[in-house]
Amino acid sequence: MPYSTTQSDQHQSNRRISYRLLFALTVGLFTTLPALAQRTQSNAEPDYHYRNGLELFEKANYAASRYEFRQYLEPRRGDGSQTLLNTGDQNAVEAEYYIALTSLYIDEPGAELLVDRFVKNHSQHPKAGQLYGDLGTYYYNRQDYTKAISFLEKAVAQGGSSAQQITYKYQLALSYYSTQDLQHALPLLNEVKLDPGSADAPAASYYAGVINFRNRNYNEAVADFRRIETNPTYQNQVPNWIAQALYKQGRFDDLLAYTEPLLKRNSGGSLNEVALFTAEVFYQQNQFARAIPYYKQYINAAGAKAPSAVKFRYGQSLFRTGAYNDAITQLKPLAGGKDTTAQYAAYTLGVSYLQTQNPTYALTAFDQAGRLSFNRTIQEEARFTHAKLQLDQNNGADAVKELTAFLKQYPDSKFENEANELVGEAYYASNNYPAAISYIEGLKRRTSKINATYQRLTYNQGVNDFNAERYPQAVANLDKSLKFPVDKSLEQAAQFWKAESYSAGKQYDTAIPLYASISKSGSGDYASKSLYALGYAYYNKKDYARALPYFRDFVSRGAGSDDRAQFQDATIRLADTYFSAKQYENAMRYYDQAIAQNAADKDYAAYQKAVILSYVGRDAEAKAQFDQVQRQFPNSRFVDESLLQKANVDFEKGSYQAAIQGYTKLIQDKPNSTLVPAALLKRAIAYGNVQQYDPAVADYKRILDNYGDSEQAQSALLGIQNTLNDAGRPEEFSQVLGQYKKSNPGSTDVERVQFENAKNIYANEKYPQAIQSLLSFMQEYPNSPSTNEARYYLAESYRQTNDPASALRYYNLVVADNKSDYLVRAATRAAELEAKQKNYPRAIRNYQIIISKANGKAEQVAAQLGLMDTYFAYPKPDSAAAMARELVATGNVVPGAQNRAQLMLGKVALGKGDFKTAQADFEKTIALAKDVNGAEAQYHLGEILYKQKKYKESVALLLKFNEQFSDFEYWKGKAFILVSDNNVALDEPAQAKAVLNSIIENSSDEAIVAEAKQKLATLESKN
């Protein structure tokens, strides 16, 4: 409590007011002096002026009074030579006293000189002593305590009437008090406080109590304050002083006995400090429930002025009584500070958040407590708890980092053993399998539990290696897993993926026995998958007879919900193996089955069925089936094949005119088809067979001129020679042959060596030199059959040197020529570059070319994925969605294609604000695979909840990111930036800042760090 001079100021103020009032009255009456001077009685009665001066003084009309006393003294001074009055003339001496006093009261210049002269001239007169007191009182009231002390000391020393002396002593004591001379003030106050007749006794007791309290004489202080505890002036202040004095003495029982009844009678604002000391006693006695209402009373009254330490003890009392939500409310404002209280508050806040099932906010609180070093024990516990909580929240990477740092900083910590145990778990949770494997392999002793963890870690790493096409590493890690077969189901899975790794590396002979051992178990998913894999291993070895029974067994088991795509693919492969064994009826039955199942490759099945019909001589049915392929699958790559094969049916049975019509339809309708050279060759032969030599020669020439590097060129050269002979025009062949040689100078060794050299430069990644070499080659051999190949490698070199414009020029030349084996590859690169430069129509056109010219399903699907992404970026979301639906139905012909397409469906729906559909599609994406598409889907699910203002639900979902998608740094960063956005929306800026700081400190993605810094700067600018 501050040591106040309130009472002294109050007394002085009252007196100053009265003096001002008297002065005003004096000035008012002063205007009557001329009239008084005219009174004739003044000449008749010599003492009239004296009596009139006394009367005016009593009425506080000091100016008029001084005038009268001066009028009284004038005749007695004679001609002015007399300056010292006769001290025997009491009235004259008193008149001089009143002149000095009234001059002082009206602030007349020179008044102090008059006083000093009076005291000097009349030192033995009683009025001299009284004048000291009056002058002391004067300066006391003006708060000039130094001068007041000099006069009041003399007044007290001279003695006088008891009542007047007590007043002087009180004024002198307050003057000492005001000048901090407490040693001289206290004895005087002690004398005044015990005088029952003094009006200043209560004030003297109060100030004596304050001085005793300051001097730590608490018993005397309590006695002084109790003396006036019922006094109306002091009754509101005294309890605070008494409670504080008892608290200082440690007399807690006495304090409670005094304060509790008092607070029950009166809970007004004046007793707030009494409530505080009562709360503090109960807190020290660990009676937290009894402390809470008194802390609450004090803090409600003090508001922001309440000390942080008091607020902490209030929050701690709430915490100790299990009122965690209330404790959080009290402690949260304190935890953000930089002092000891903040550290304790942050730690207690963290525990409170855990008790209320809010681990996310607990992380922030423990982080704050761990950053402060005022209390090392609290700091150590906070850091360890923070690391454990990271692990509990599946933030494995962060937990590893923190636990490692903790063990380094606190090597002798009481948490050392527990921390060591948690490191392995943290590595596992972080999906940092190599580090976890290395950690376990470095342990001197391994329990069965650790071996079980090791089995799973090495298995997971092996599968990761497989997915990354690191097949030898996959086998090595899967072998490690198989050495510790704690979990039998995991052992079988490791065996299967080991076989898959060998198969993917085309080591089929090594893979086959592994698959066989799994399939013999006869149960489980992997036994079924191994049948499928065995079929493919033999199929890829072209050992169709041995592939057949495995595909047949797999298909006979039926399709489950998870392997429907494999079942449909196996059905077609089974048909293929029957076809290769010339078991056409069985082959056709399974192709029909695939078509009925709406398999992804049903166009292929329909085409193969037509081919079988042609093989078995059911020509009419075959032609009808080829027509059906064209009608039912107009965009299929087998449309061109169907046109060719239908014409071939007529050709083989000698219906050359019908065959010519069929070939013509292909050539005219599909001018860019890779089958055009074959159709031209067949048509030329058909023309020759019906002795139409000119069109036959024309077709042969067209092959030689336009498709000189095709496999049909040599046959065309022989064909035209025979046809010209049959037509009786053999002399024309020399010209044809010369032109062919000119257009196809590839037979020369110089050209071949030069081109191979240019390709070698390209293969060695010396792209600028490759550009020069390839340009020289094309300039020297403009008609080379290798021109398109050279163009492709030239375009690739420009792409590698970051010259997209030049790259596109040569890619487009290859595409425009439409005859090269490099067509699809060039179109793919061109599409990618055009999309990157936002030339979406051109990119789309290239992707469509790829789809129509693709040599296999995988190539076609890859182009469809690119087309889907381009439509989305264009933006043409409906087209993107249509392509995505087609890809979802196709399955994972290209790894990850199905979930990438499923993700696209969700993104399209999200863009349209159709949250329900988007959510369903994103959940399907995650169910398909925990890959980068799943990570993006998880982020968008959180984004949907954020847009729906379901902030807490969004945070809860996004915090699961570490559990499933911690490897995908970019999307993990985006997810936690969105967590901070949710925190801002929840009015939790401290949480938002903590999340952003964590991203900045831990993320390895520069774009994410930059975004987090920008958001953090924006947040801090608002504070």
Side-chain angles (χ1 to χ4, degrees), residues 794-809:
L794 181 58
E796 284 286 272
S797 299
Y798 277 125
R799 184 179 65 85
Q800 294 287 0
T801 55
N802 224 6
D803 186 352
S806 296
L808 280 169
R809 175 188 170 194

Side-chain angles (χ1 to χ4, degrees), residues 26 65 67 82 90 169 269 295 308 334 391 443 451 463 552 648 709 729 820 844 882 886 919 954 958 977 992:
T26 301
S65 173
Y67 176 82
Q82 185 177 357
Q90 292 298 319
K169 288 178 180 178
Y295 274 130
S308 296
L334 304 176
L391 184 56
L443 294 176
N451 283 335
V463 174
R552 183 177 58 210
N648 283 343
D709 57 349
R729 294 149 49 192
S820 168
I844 290 168
E886 186 175 336
Q919 184 174 1
S954 178
L958 292 167
I977 286 174

Side-chain angles (χ1 to χ4, degrees), residues 347 365-367 369-370 377-387:
Y347 184 82
F366 286 126
D367 179 64
T377 301
I378 290 293
Q379 184 181 37
E380 179 183 346
E381 292 192 12
R383 287 184 174 175
F384 180 68
T385 305
H386 190 271

Side-chain angles (χ1 to χ4, degrees), residues 219-241:
N219 286 331
E220 291 84 347
V222 169
D224 287 333
F225 290 127
R226 281 193 177 277
R227 189 178 296 112
I228 56 172
E229 62 184 339
T230 59
N231 185 286
T233 303
Y234 301 102
Q235 64 183 358
N236 291 333
Q237 299 179 53
V238 161
N240 295 325
W241 286 103

Side-chain angles (χ1 to χ4, degrees), residues 523-584:
S523 62
D525 288 342
Y526 288 110
S528 178
K529 289 177 184 290
S530 291
L531 288 174
Y532 178 72
L534 276 166
Y536 251 111
Y538 283 117
Y539 185 88
N540 289 331
K541 289 182 65 178
K542 301 188 186 307
D543 190 346
Y544 303 120
R546 300 185 72 176
L548 191 152
Y550 292 110
F551 283 131
R552 183 177 58 210
D553 289 350
F554 180 78
V555 169
S556 68
R557 295 191 179 198
S561 59
D562 295 334
D563 59 0
R564 183 169 298 278
Q566 282 187 343
F567 175 79
Q568 293 173 349
D569 182 63
T571 302
I572 293 176
R573 297 291 83 81
L574 178 58
D576 287 345
T577 55
Y578 276 124
F579 181 88
S580 68
K582 298 183 180 180
Q583 297 183 41
Y584 298 128

Side-chain angles (χ1 to χ4, degrees), residues 804-826:
S806 296
L808 280 169
R809 175 188 170 194
Y810 286 100
Y811 286 135
N812 289 333
L813 285 173
V814 176
V815 173
D817 188 67
N818 197 34
K819 294 180 293 188
S820 168
D821 291 341
Y822 290 86
L823 169 62
V824 171
R825 280 181 278 183

Side-chain angles (χ1 to χ4, degrees), residues 80 473 823 874 917 931:
Q473 295 94 318
L823 169 62
Y874 199 160
T917 301
D931 59 1

